[in-house]
Amino acid sequence: MSGDIDPQRNATRPRIARAFAPGSVGNIGVGFDLLGHSIDGVRDIAIVRCIDEPVVRIAAIRGEVEGADTLPLQAERNTAGQALIALRDKLGLAHGFELELEKGIPLGSGLGGSAASCVAALVAANAVLDAPLAREALYDFALDGESVSSGSRHGDNVAPMLLGGVVMATATHMIPLDVPTWLHAVVVHPDQVLETRRARAVLADPYPLHVVVEQSAHLALFLTGLQRGDATLLREGLRDLLVEPRRAPLIPGFAEAKAAALDHDALGASISGAGPSTFAWFASRAQADAAAPAMQAAFASAGYGSRAYVTPVAGPRADVISAGAYA
């Protein structure tokens, strides 16, 4: 595919686009590096300009998120920059991209901040291509970008951001899953930072086979519950035996926040992504609204302030906010 900029291009395609990507709950407890769902209430924004120079350049990273000014401006060291480099290389584009990021997802929060930056950048860049790609075709580039932050290619954050809702993410496929409209989540982000690499390090030791088998049963119940819209099966399945026990000690207040959610009739609760954010699923919006303050109070008792997001489990997908002529 040629990326040459022809004289008529301004009349047919925008040269600048602004897009957002929502936060996400990675793993959903039982689906480590496999399942995720998008959430409403927190997002990153990317502005991408088509430029004649055949490079990817990050012009600015801003936002009120603590630490945003420490993120690398070198494209190859930034999740969004690397995603756009992969896009350029694969398509053989003659032109390049200039990128600005507006960070809204806290760093090290377990809400998919690094993934959101690269997905927002890809969606914006796709909008300025002469021949935009299907949403599914952006997945591989998003995995390239996400690997800069996590050190591995896993799609449990980028896939639900690209498609919305609950998604099963393998190395080669994004598979959207049925989600009952009544399912709601509470996602609480305590004022803590837990780096993904540290959270993954505690998973290095092997697991006994019987634990893996039991976890597989939970995953099967969970997926069947989603497909059938069966709250009882979801409650039986949403129990993580693999990751949560090893990561919970890294998150002060987690055990109490989970207990508060279960006391308010949560279908299940666990760690969002690598943590420290904690999520819980509920069978109604009213239950979720009632549980959120209790979960926050649990973190407060441990000495941490927090922010709570109540969201449909079938959350939004990344999308273009605006697109227009090159300024």
Side-chain angles (χ1 to χ4, degrees):
M1 174 180 176
S2 172
D4 293 341
I5 303 174
D6 66 59
Q8 301 302 314
R9 189 180 192 282
N10 286 346
T12 59
R13 298 297 306 168
R15 297 290 303 276
I16 180 172
R18 187 170 184 255
F20 81 92
S24 64
V25 169
N27 303 333
I28 318 184
V30 291
F32 180 68
D33 281 1
L34 177 68
L35 297 176
H37 74 87
S38 59
I39 64 173
D40 201 7
V42 62
R43 58 175 54 181
D44 277 5
I45 292 173
I47 302 167
V48 175
R49 294 175 178 82
C50 184
I51 59 176
D52 292 342
E53 190 179 357
V55 298
V56 172
R57 182 168 59 235
I58 301 179
I61 301 175
R62 52 184 174 268
E64 297 182 359
V65 170
E66 184 176 352
D69 57 348
T70 68
L71 294 173
L73 292 172
Q74 301 96 322
E76 67 278 3
R77 295 182 54 222
N78 184 287
T79 59
Q82 182 57 47
L84 296 190
I85 290 171
L87 176 68
R88 276 201 72 255
D89 290 348
K90 179 68 173 181
L91 300 185
L93 300 177
H95 65 79
F97 301 110
E98 183 177 83
L99 168 66
E100 298 177 42
L101 292 173
E102 299 175 1
K103 294 294 295 179
I105 301 176
L107 307 186
S109 63
L111 298 177
S114 61
S117 290
C118 75
V119 169
L122 284 167
V123 170
N126 195 45
V128 302
L129 292 179
D130 288 331
L133 303 174
R135 188 58 67 102
E136 290 73 15
L138 300 178
Y139 184 47
D140 201 48
F141 309 127
L143 291 177
D144 287 336
E146 174 73 336
S147 68
V148 172
S149 172
S150 66
S152 63
R153 290 168 59 86
H154 56 89
D156 56 316
N157 287 306
V158 298
M161 292 174 184
L162 284 167
L163 298 184
V166 179
V167 180
M168 180 184 297
T170 71
T172 54
H173 295 285
M174 298 188 294
I175 304 171
L177 303 179
D178 293 334
V179 182
T181 56
W182 43 262
L183 265 180
H184 281 73
V186 176
V187 185
V188 178
H189 171 229
D191 292 335
Q192 308 171 21
V193 174
L194 179 55
E195 294 183 358
T196 300
R197 292 176 189 267
R198 180 183 174 214
R200 294 182 81 88
V202 299
L203 308 180
D205 290 341
Y207 290 90
L209 179 59
H210 73 90
V211 175
V212 175
V213 171
E214 190 173 354
Q215 179 85 349
S216 297
H218 289 175
L219 177 59
L221 288 167
F222 176 82
L223 293 175
T224 304
L226 268 183
Q227 193 274 328
R228 296 182 179 178
D230 187 321
T232 299
L233 291 180
L234 287 172
R235 192 185 299 273
E236 291 183 35
L238 189 46
R239 291 183 291 157
D240 177 25
L241 303 179
L242 297 181
V243 177
E244 180 186 312
R246 295 190 182 184
R247 287 182 171 171
L250 303 177
I251 307 170
F254 165 76
E256 294 79 5
K258 177 179 178 178
L262 295 177
D263 286 345
H264 282 76
D265 206 27
L267 300 175
S270 192
I271 300 167
S272 177
S277 291
T278 300
F279 80 93
W281 277 19
F282 296 87
S284 71
R285 173 80 191 216
Q287 287 181 323
D289 283 335
M295 294 175 68
Q296 287 188 277
F299 277 114
S301 295
Y304 294 92
S306 64
R307 286 161 298 286
Y309 308 97
V310 177
T311 173
V313 171
R317 76 172 195 169
D319 217 339
V320 174
I321 298 171
S322 61
Y326 188 80

